Structures are given as C-alpha cells and as structure tokens.
Amino acid sequence: MKLEQIFFVKEAVSFILRKQDILVKEVLSFIMKKQDNFLKEVVSFLKKLLVS
C-alpha cells in the first residue's frame, strides 16, 4: 500500500469508530430506557403477586 492509501484507511477507520461510538451510546441508552420500563413492570407485577 502507498502512504496515501494507509492514511486514507486510518482516516476511514477512525471515522467509522467515532460513528460507531455514537451508535453504541444511542443503543445503550435505548436499552437502558427499555430496561427501566421493564424493571418497573416486573416490580409492579411482583407487588401484585405479593398483595394478592
């Protein structure tokens, strides 16, 4: 590979990693939100079971 090609590949990889980082954060926050709702559901379900 020529030097320019190597530089281009490095740039492309770092760009993808930055984008991926943002994507991963988005996905994680989405999962956390969903999980939060899920945990609330589970807790309310358990309360119903304990009460009855």
Side-chain angles (χ1 to χ4, degrees), residues 1 3-4 12-14 16 20 22 24 31 39 44 46:
M1 272 208 281
L3 203 59
E4 300 99 49
V13 167
S14 65
I16 290 166
Q20 208 174 14
I22 292 164
V24 167
I31 289 169
L39 285 174
S44 64
L46 286 174

Side-chain angles (χ1 to χ4, degrees), residues 39-52:
L39 285 174
K40 282 176 190 161
E41 288 291 315
V42 169
V43 166
S44 64
F45 179 70
L46 286 174
K47 279 180 184 168
K48 281 178 194 162
L49 280 180
L50 289 173
V51 166
S52 60

Side-chain angles (χ1 to χ4, degrees), residues 1-14:
M1 272 208 281
K2 291 190 199 118
L3 203 59
E4 300 99 49
Q5 276 179 318
I6 291 169
F7 182 70
F8 178 73
V9 168
K10 274 186 187 171
E11 283 296 300
V13 167
S14 65

